[in-house]
């Protein structure tokens, strides 16, 4: 059975589908350079709408989902109420014939309600809305596919009272199983409501991973049951902490959006904040980061201000870490656990007396990291976790571990340097890879540096941030993360994440930094950045992204505008090439 | 009072804040010209606290009421809590002394003030020449308070006055629309930063959002829609609100370029309206029809043009009382005019495009003048290589030019020609830069080589607050030339901004301008004080956020908690 028909339960459905599949082959959206009157973001893999038409939604409309699944139930309830409360007014109002039969129901057909929300779970769905009998059907293998379909359904409605696109068929499934956003909550704090709004919007964009970079050198905001001192002494304060209840609420909320929460405790680098509670396990804690000034960067004590690394030689380090990992495993059910391991600083370790004697006995810094990983990697695996690290653990030129310590079967690497080249290196070594290339996917870049007393602003007219320029939505959308890889290597690229490092972001500006740029990632990871002829569809996506941003704003997300409104009202007129 | 003041002035000479590299426990942004606080101390504010002020000026009255309320409602919690001895005597009153209650809020009005807060009597005094100086002083007073119930810095003396009389923010409400509450919040925050000019770039090619009483068709056909317009009542409310914050509202109607939006109501007065802007593609920039998408320029040969303009100018003069009127005149595109049949015959009879602009200015400049306005133009009117007018048409006595290209060089050219100049160098003061381009179907983002330089905006990189703070707008000018530089404006062009992101685009970067224009970017020894300003700006940003402004963070909170540790140079 072709993948496209998987998960369809009844014979009548199957017959109907076959008819529609024929239509899909004849007419897809990519044939038009103007978008459909109403669209779904990310654009579905295939959508067929041979005679665009709308229908009213009956006040008695119901979503029928006879499954006792609490996350599905929450999603259904949310969409039922959104349908009548959203009142979305498209920038260009769709002008469509209205079917005389109002839509009465949407019925969900799920074949496997037990599949957990894990990496690689089937997220495909098929949606039909029919004007002839006023019913819609949503079929999927899993609850998570159904949640994707509900979102598409909701994006097909507009107006007040609401209308919905009808006589349309969608079959949809993601290109990449891992589609995420990383948020750093250590440099600056984000309230729980901000995180929940982000996760809801992540789900609405069919992104499925919220990679939560919880801790770093600047603060340790998470209150852990067995290590409460870490947050007590390491957070920015009692009003800038996440409690266990907060985390449970966030994880549960995320599931109802089909979003996994992958926690990251960045270790053994980026760990100054651990020193509040346990000064003895942190080397070079809270030193000035550039002791010999900017001209001697080789002798820096951290990649940036906020120095401190966990000491792999101190037994207490592992006691604390095991508690943290145990707590984390019970708070975060996801089978992925991110352990950091980026930007280890040689001098921060080698300047510590206990480490000096280790080094003088013929060891090197890589062996020091190996000692750390030899303990923590198996420990995390014993918690039934796949361990995710930043690429540095393998590719750093000074401090790295051999692949044998981090077997590809239990390890995933996240790349951020050197574009496609590092991706290639990592998949070449057999690892599954998450792509977060700083040249494409770093949302904080191009905003200037945050360092103080920096005379570059007096002198250099060209100074941007280290990873500038700003990554536009087009830059993100256009990045081909598997370009130049062999078919076997491609399979190892499990997806991508845009990343927001928070030196210069917090709740005040969060939405605008993330949206709609993360939406550009969402579409390229879900259905790709090319049309059926293999041509980039970036230009065509512009109007649709304007619409989707407009819709997100209406839903309470302060997404930034990408063009004057005039451009959407005058399709094509704001292009470079007519 | 006078004797007390003299005593304090002596102290000021001995101790100023710039001596310390760490900020005072509580600070005012922009930092006052002189502040003396020899033994830092705090006082509680009595629940019976009152502000005594002359009640004849309604804008002062509004400001006093606002500050009296803010004092007890703000509950500002500093990032680093001030640890100060608390005087046993609570502060009972603040008394305002104003010598000239009638001076209008015009360019160059005296904004100086002196503020003393004394723990000895539990009283504070604020002296100023004008109401507008008093409003500046009230803001300083309010920034000296914190906590709940509130404390206030005491035994302190401030004397304060601005370096530059024109300190502004330009907002473009045409590319994208901003709601009235967004504009009012921005103006309130400007006032809190002691900025005094809201330059309202009302119209451009993309929309004409202002409903004018005698030309309602312009907005009816040119705005983004009935829910994206400003009514005359909105404007009155905004102008009045701005005055109570000591902020002037200077309107700009960008003409004769950037005028497509006028064509909705009057297609006959707009040339090349709504054509594709780059008919021959990117490689033939010379044949563009506009500097960016949205083509259309007013036709100087059409009599109807002037009928409409006179109505617009008259309406504007009655809506906006400020004596400055900005008439635009930037980025005239040769091809948009020369492709128009009526203009072609003008050109073929031996005229030039500059003469065409001259015809336009010969009518509009005197007309605006007749409305008792000083006319402000963008520098292009004089410096554009292709289309410009001679000095004689825009006499320096009635004309101010706003520079945006070529940094200090253009400032120098303009002041050398005798013009008063407003500095808005795009290399320093453009808040929209570095955010990528907005033009669609741009393959620059598809090119994977040269990632560092490709795909910035035309005026990238992003202008950090330090870049803005550090710009010396009169550097290299003669003393006489310096006097002609009346100030600066940061500018937000709105191709990629609207109400959703307004606050973060503007704040705290406009605050960096505010301090540079008010008390400068150098300490008393003439050294840049940017590094020292960082902690204070973190605090001020924190305070603005507490006041409901979504200003962006400039550093991790950790940096403010660990003074100096986030510097590049220790």
């Amino acid at each position: 059975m072709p993948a496209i028909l998987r998960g369809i339960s009844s014979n009548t459905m199957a017959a109907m589908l076959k008819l529609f599949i024929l239509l899909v082959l004849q007419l897809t959206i990519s044939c038009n350079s103007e978008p459909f009157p109403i669209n779904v973001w990310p654009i579905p893999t295939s959508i067929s709408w041979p005679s665009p038409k709308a229908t009213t939604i009956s006040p008695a409309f119901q979503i029928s989902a006879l499954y006792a699944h609490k996350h599905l139930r929450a999603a259904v309830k949310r969409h039922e109420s959104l349908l009548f409360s959203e009142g979305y007014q498209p920038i260009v109002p769709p002008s469509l014939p209205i079917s005389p039969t109002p839509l009465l129901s949407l019925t969900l057909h799920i074949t496997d309600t037990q599949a957990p929300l894990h990496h690689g779970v089937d997220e495909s769905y098929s949606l039909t809305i029919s004007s002839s009998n006023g019913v819609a059907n949503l079929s999927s293998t899993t609850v998570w596919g159904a949640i994707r379909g509900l979102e598409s359904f909701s994006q097909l409605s507009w107006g007040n009272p609401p209308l919905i696109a009808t006589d349309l068929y969608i079959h949809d499934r993601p290109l990449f199983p891992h589609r995420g956003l990383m948020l750093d909550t250590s440099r600056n704090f984000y309230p729980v409501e901000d995180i929940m709004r982000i996760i809801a919007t992540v789900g609405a964009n069919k992104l499925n991973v919220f990679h939560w970079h919880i801790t770093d050198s600047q603060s340790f905001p998470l209150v852990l049951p067995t290590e409460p001192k870490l947050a007590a002494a390491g957070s920015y304060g009692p009003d800038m902490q996440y409690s266990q209840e907060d985390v449970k609420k966030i994880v549960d909320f995320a599931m109802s959006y089909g979003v996994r929460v992958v926690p990251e405790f960045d270790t053994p680098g980026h760990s100054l904040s651990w020193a509040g509670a346990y000064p003895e396990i942190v080397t070079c804690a809270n030193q000035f980061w550039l002791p010999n000034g900017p001209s001697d960067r080789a002798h820096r004590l951290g990649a940036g201000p906020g120095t401190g690394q966990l000491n792999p030689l101190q037994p207490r380090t592992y006691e604390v870490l095991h508690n943290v990992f145990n707590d984390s495993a019970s708070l975060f059910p996801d089978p992925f656990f991110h352990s950091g391991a980026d930007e280890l600083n040689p001098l921060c370790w080698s300047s510590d007396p206990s480490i000096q004697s280790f080094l003088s006995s013929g060891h090197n810094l890589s062996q020091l990291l190996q000692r750390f990983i030899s303990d923590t990697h198996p420990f995390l695996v014993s918690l039934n976790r796949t361990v995710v690290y930043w690429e540095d653990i393998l590719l750093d030129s000074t401090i790295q571990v051999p692949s044998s310590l981090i077997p590809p079967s239990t390890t995933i690497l996240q790349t951020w340097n050197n574009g496609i080249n590092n991706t290639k290196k990592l998949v070449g070594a057999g690892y599954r890879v998450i792509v977060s290339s700083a040249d494409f996917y770093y949302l904080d870049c191009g905003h200037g540096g945050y360092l103080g007393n920096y005379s570059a602003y007096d002198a250099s007219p060209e100074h941007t941030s280290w990873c500038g320029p700003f990554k536009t939505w087009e830059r993100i959308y256009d990045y081909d993360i598997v370009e130049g890889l062999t078919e076997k290597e491609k399979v190892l690229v499990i997806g991508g994440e845009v990343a927001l490092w928070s030196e210069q972001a917090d709740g005040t500006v969060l939405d605008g930094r993330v949206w709609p740029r993360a939406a550009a990632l969402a579409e390229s990871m879900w259905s790709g950045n090319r049309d059926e002829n293999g041509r980039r569809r970036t230009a065509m996506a512009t109007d649709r992204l304007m619409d989707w941003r407009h819709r997100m704003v209406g839903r309470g997300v302060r997404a930034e505008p990408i063009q004057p409104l005039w451009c959407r009202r005058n399709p094509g007129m704001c292009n470079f090439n007519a």
Side-chain angles (χ1 to χ4, degrees), chain A residues 395-569:
Chain A
L395 302 183
D396 186 272
S397 51
T398 313
I399 310 180
Q400 81 291 114
V401 305
S403 353
S404 57
L405 273 192
I406 48 170
S409 58
T410 53
T411 308
I412 295 174
L413 297 178
Q414 186 161 7
T415 178
W416 61 285
N417 287 300
N418 211 11
I420 199 80
N421 304 307
N422 279 9
T423 302
K424 199 164 173 68
K425 274 189 185 166
L426 297 172
V427 295
Y431 288 95
R432 287 165 288 171
V433 169
I434 298 164
V435 175
S436 292
S437 168
D439 287 332
F440 297 89
Y441 286 173
Y442 270 27
L443 300 176
D444 52 309
C445 300
H447 209 72
Y450 71 95
L451 300 176
N453 201 11
Y454 198 171
S455 55
Y457 296 110
D458 291 346
S460 154
E462 289 307 323
H463 183 84
T464 56
S465 62
W466 69 270
C467 55
F470 177 83
K471 310 309 169 199
T472 62
W473 75 265
E474 297 100 321
R475 168 81 71 215
I476 292 169
Y477 193 84
D478 285 358
Y479 186 36
D480 294 314
I481 64 171
V482 295
E483 198 169 41
L485 304 185
T486 66
E487 287 310 311
K488 267 199 169 164
E489 290 173 336
K490 281 181 186 174
V491 176
L492 290 174
V493 177
I494 64 174
E497 293 179 6
V498 283
L500 181 58
W501 300 105
S502 298
E503 284 89 349
Q504 298 181 307
D506 66 11
T508 56
V509 293
L510 173 62
D511 290 9
R513 289 275 200 285
V514 172
W515 310 110
R517 291 187 292 156
L521 177 86
E523 182 156 301
S524 67
M525 294 291 109
W526 180 273
S527 50
N529 59 18
R530 291 171 189 271
D531 65 18
E532 78 280 11
N533 298 318
R535 292 173 310 212
R536 278 202 204 290
R537 58 183 175 192
T538 320
M540 204 195 81
T542 309
D543 281 352
R544 289 192 294 106
L545 187 57
M546 287 279 277
D547 288 349
W548 175 228
R549 179 263 170 182
H550 179 60
R551 187 158 201 145
M552 288 194 282
V553 170
R555 290 182 179 184
V557 178
R558 303 173 80 87
E560 66 177 10
I562 58 171
Q563 291 188 324
L565 182 56
W566 186 86
C567 297
R568 180 62 186 95
R569 295 260 183 90

Side-chain angles (χ1 to χ4, degrees), chain A residues 18 43 54 72 76 78 110 137 213 221 298 305 347 392 400 415 487 509 554:
Chain A
K18 271 181 204 151
I43 195 167
L72 179 66
V76 163
R78 188 173 72 233
I110 301 170
N137 283 287
H213 184 88
L347 198 64
D392 314 45
Q400 81 291 114
T415 178
E487 287 310 311
V509 293

Side-chain angles (χ1 to χ4, degrees), chain A residues 276-357:
Chain A
Y278 300 106
E280 69 275 25
I281 69 171
V282 180
T283 65
C284 95
N286 221 9
Q287 311 284 307
F288 183 70
W289 70 294
L290 270 182
N292 300 345
S295 53
D296 187 10
R297 277 196 172 246
H299 280 85
R300 68 188 185 278
L301 288 167
T307 62
Q309 288 177 183
L310 297 181
N311 186 341
L313 299 180
Q314 170 69 248
R316 193 88 183 85
T317 299
Y318 301 100
E319 290 170 33
V320 175
L321 277 169
H322 294 179
N323 288 337
V324 168
F325 294 160
N326 277 324
D327 281 357
S328 173
S330 74
L331 283 171
F332 298 97
D334 198 86
F336 282 18
F337 180 93
H338 204 306
S339 192
D342 57 321
E343 298 191 309
L344 286 164
N345 181 280
L347 198 64
C348 179
W349 268 346
S350 64
S351 62
D352 187 89
S354 71
I355 290 174
Q356 273 162 1
S357 65

Side-chain angles (χ1 to χ4, degrees), chain A residues 101-406:
Chain A
T101 319
L103 190 68
L104 282 164
S105 68
L106 169 67
T107 305
L108 271 53
H109 312 268
I110 301 170
T111 50
D112 175 6
T113 57
Q114 301 304 310
L117 181 60
H118 286 176
H119 175 73
V121 70
D122 188 329
E123 295 174 89
S124 69
Y125 68 92
S126 300
L127 173 68
T128 56
I129 308 177
S130 157
S131 69
S132 65
N133 46 9
V135 299
N137 283 287
L138 170 59
S139 304
S140 63
T141 308
T142 70
V143 161
W144 319 110
I147 289 175
R148 304 281 168 254
L150 283 168
E151 178 59 38
S152 297
F153 181 80
S154 108
Q155 290 185 28
L156 291 167
S157 77
W158 74 95
N160 184 17
L163 293 168
I164 194 159
T166 189
D167 292 347
L168 145 161
Y169 167 75
I170 289 174
H171 179 72
D172 208 4
R173 68 195 149 77
L175 281 178
F176 292 95
H178 189 106
R179 309 176 306 278
L181 164 69
M182 191 218 75
L183 183 68
D184 157 18
T185 61
S186 172
R187 269 55 175 256
N188 280 307
F189 180 80
Y190 294 84
V192 172
E193 307 78 67
D194 285 334
I195 291 180
M196 289 175 57
R197 187 179 65 259
I198 282 290
I199 287 174
T201 318
V202 161
N205 281 277
K206 296 191 175 72
L207 293 168
N208 64 356
V209 176
F210 177 66
H211 168 179
W212 188 352
H213 184 88
I214 304 174
T215 70
D216 208 291
S217 272
Q218 283 76 8
S219 78
F220 194 112
L222 178 58
V223 183
L224 291 168
T226 53
E227 289 290 357
K229 283 170 66 184
L230 284 167
S235 76
Y236 277 136
D239 56 333
M240 287 185 269
Q241 294 176 346
Y242 305 108
S243 69
Q244 293 171 67
E245 292 67 40
D246 290 337
V247 173
K248 279 179 197 145
K249 191 165 75 173
I250 288 169
V251 168
D252 202 57
F253 179 83
M255 281 203 183
S256 80
Y257 284 86
V259 177
R260 301 159 48 204
V261 180
V262 174
E264 175 184 355
F265 293 83
D266 200 348
T267 59
H270 290 276
S271 307
L272 165 62
S273 62
W274 303 52
Y278 300 106
E280 69 275 25
I281 69 171
V282 180
T283 65
C284 95
N286 221 9
Q287 311 284 307
F288 183 70
W289 70 294
L290 270 182
N292 300 345
S295 53
D296 187 10
R297 277 196 172 246
H299 280 85
R300 68 188 185 278
L301 288 167
T307 62
Q309 288 177 183
L310 297 181
N311 186 341
L313 299 180
Q314 170 69 248
R316 193 88 183 85
T317 299
Y318 301 100
E319 290 170 33
V320 175
L321 277 169
H322 294 179
N323 288 337
V324 168
F325 294 160
N326 277 324
D327 281 357
S328 173
S330 74
L331 283 171
F332 298 97
D334 198 86
F336 282 18
F337 180 93
H338 204 306
S339 192
D342 57 321
E343 298 191 309
L344 286 164
N345 181 280
L347 198 64
C348 179
W349 268 346
S350 64
S351 62
D352 187 89
S354 71
I355 290 174
Q356 273 162 1
S357 65
F358 174 82
L359 295 174
S360 61
S361 70
H363 294 95
N364 60 34
L365 289 172
S366 283
Q367 288 168 324
L368 192 62
L369 177 61
Q370 287 158 30
R371 181 172 293 205
F372 183 87
I373 298 297
S374 309
D375 178 284
T376 51
H377 188 281
F379 189 87
L380 290 166
V381 171
S382 78
L383 295 169
N384 288 317
R385 292 297 185 272
T386 298
V387 193
V388 189
Y389 294 112
W390 295 102
E391 62 180 13
D392 314 45
I393 197 170
L394 201 68
L395 302 183
D396 186 272
S397 51
T398 313
I399 310 180
Q400 81 291 114
V401 305
S403 353
S404 57
L405 273 192
I406 48 170

Side-chain angles (χ1 to χ4, degrees), chain A residues 14-93:
Chain A
M16 205 164 110
L17 278 184
K18 271 181 204 151
L19 174 68
F20 272 116
I21 287 164
L22 288 178
L23 288 170
V24 170
L25 297 174
Q26 290 162 9
L27 183 141
T28 77
I29 186 185
S30 317
C31 302
N32 301 307
S33 70
E34 276 197 54
F36 275 140
I38 187 90
N39 287 280
V40 174
W41 189 280
I43 195 167
T45 306
S46 70
I47 175 165
S48 169
W49 200 10
S51 354
K53 209 189 249 190
T55 179
T56 57
I57 298 176
S58 163
F61 173 85
Q62 274 199 353
I63 300 179
S64 148
L66 306 169
Y67 307 102
H69 188 289
K70 78 166 181 167
H71 297 118
L72 179 66
R73 223 163 47 226
V76 163
K77 211 180 298 160
R78 188 173 72 233
H79 279 292
E80 270 177 344
S81 88
L82 185 64
L83 208 55
F84 290 94
S85 66
E86 186 173 15
Y88 171 59
Q89 299 296 341
I91 298 172
V92 177

